[in-house]
Amino acid sequence: MIQTYAALLRGINVSGHRKVPMAELRALLEGLGHRDVRTHLQSGNAVFATDTGASEDELTAALEAAVEDRFGFRVDCLVRGGAYLAAVVDACPFPTAGIEGKQLHAFYFSGPPDAERFAAIDQEAYRPEAFALGDRVLYLYVPDGLGRSRLGDVVSRPSLSKGLVVTARNWNTVLKLVEMTRG
């Protein structure tokens, strides 16, 4: 059965470092046997269809190995199915009508985050900013954008996501990836 996935590459094409041209990423994914490959922006978002029957973790491992082989450096990746991405949008605990994409972000985790680590954050001290945990995702609401967010700095601390790969996308990108994985 053919399934559609999004590949989220972490930390590429930032300030001229760890360059992964999107045309080459598309060719790499096609070389792994995937089809209908499309990319979104230059920040490491790709959508592809496959009938391999491989799990998200297996697809992730194959992509990471192929990127390292092709570009000569390791890139953490996450591969998520279209149904999961849609469920993340549906489960968002924050109002999404009328917001700008920079005001809401999804931090995708490679596994379930340790809720106890995040429970120690005094959210009241950061209002009106807020966060909530979901299924392998953290939703971050930052009315003035991530660049000005004090809470964004806190939830991004490596000690909170220790042992997990995490990569964030703004809400515009989250919605676009859902749209693209729906075909």
Side-chain angles (χ1 to χ4, degrees):
M1 177 169 81
I2 297 174
Q3 292 194 22
T4 304
Y5 295 89
L8 310 172
L9 284 70
R10 183 178 179 275
I12 64 164
N13 301 334
V14 178
S15 302
H17 300 295
R18 297 166 42 105
K19 289 185 179 182
V20 176
M22 293 300 97
E24 291 184 44
L25 177 59
R26 288 189 298 273
L28 186 141
L29 285 163
E30 289 168 351
L32 291 172
H34 307 313
R35 56 182 167 232
D36 301 325
V37 178
R38 294 165 285 150
T39 54
H40 177 63
L41 303 174
Q42 297 296 314
S43 56
N45 304 295
V47 170
F48 63 91
T50 188
D51 60 1
T52 64
S55 70
E56 289 178 346
D57 289 341
E58 292 167 330
L59 293 168
T60 297
L63 177 56
E64 287 176 343
V67 167
E68 186 170 10
D69 184 56
R70 168 63 183 89
F71 297 101
F73 50 84
R74 179 166 167 66
V75 172
D76 288 327
C77 303
L78 296 176
V79 174
R80 295 291 180 253
Y84 168 81
L85 296 173
V88 164
V89 169
D90 292 342
C92 181
F94 299 107
T96 58
I99 66 160
E100 296 177 42
K102 71 176 186 174
Q103 294 177 305
L104 185 59
H105 298 263
F107 287 63
Y108 295 101
F109 295 96
S110 58
D114 184 342
E116 288 182 26
R117 293 179 189 166
F118 289 91
I121 299 170
D122 177 12
Q123 288 204 56
E124 288 302 317
Y126 298 96
R127 296 281 178 218
E129 297 180 3
F131 76 88
L133 293 175
D135 175 19
R136 297 178 295 162
V137 68
L138 177 142
Y139 301 92
L140 178 64
Y141 174 67
V142 286
D144 294 327
L146 195 56
R148 296 183 177 176
S149 171
R150 290 178 31 235
L151 184 57
D153 291 339
V154 172
V155 300
S156 298
R157 290 181 184 151
S159 61
L160 294 175
S161 59
K162 187 175 183 177
L164 298 174
V165 172
V166 60
T167 187
R169 299 296 186 269
N170 73 34
W171 203 246
N172 288 340
T173 298
V174 169
L175 295 176
K176 184 64 175 178
L177 291 173
V178 169
E179 176 188 320
M180 290 174 72
T181 55
R182 285 189 176 144

